[in-house]
Amino acid sequence: DPELALEVVEVLTQLAREGTTMLMATHDLRLASSVATNVVFLDKGEVVEAGPTAAVFGAPASERTRRFVASLGH
């Protein structure tokens, strides 16, 4: 439901602005990149890459992370 999803994103964004610590698992890169300060990229249950959001999304060190980010049009 797109309307509900937008409301959830707004609530999560507000909580992040207020300094609430959250741990989330998501495939929604737009949500992760707009809310998270740090991200962990997993593949088959293994940590492939972790670090500040801007670094992982902007200049991934791992080829696997680069392919994933590119495949979702981020």
Side-chain angles (χ1 to χ4, degrees), residues 27-52:
H27 290 99
D28 185 339
L29 291 184
R30 287 183 184 92
L31 172 62
S33 65
S34 68
V35 174
T37 55
N38 290 283
V39 295
V40 178
F41 177 71
L42 301 169
D43 185 30
K44 299 177 186 165
E46 299 289 325
V47 174
V48 174
E49 188 161 354

Side-chain angles (χ1 to χ4, degrees), residues 7-44:
E7 185 177 329
V8 170
V9 169
E10 289 173 0
V11 169
L12 292 173
T13 302
Q14 183 59 36
L15 289 170
R17 278 191 209 117
E18 293 171 358
T20 301
T21 299
M22 295 178 278
L23 175 65
M24 298 181 343
T26 185
H27 290 99
D28 185 339
L29 291 184
R30 287 183 184 92
L31 172 62
S33 65
S34 68
V35 174
T37 55
N38 290 283
V39 295
V40 178
F41 177 71
L42 301 169
D43 185 30
K44 299 177 186 165

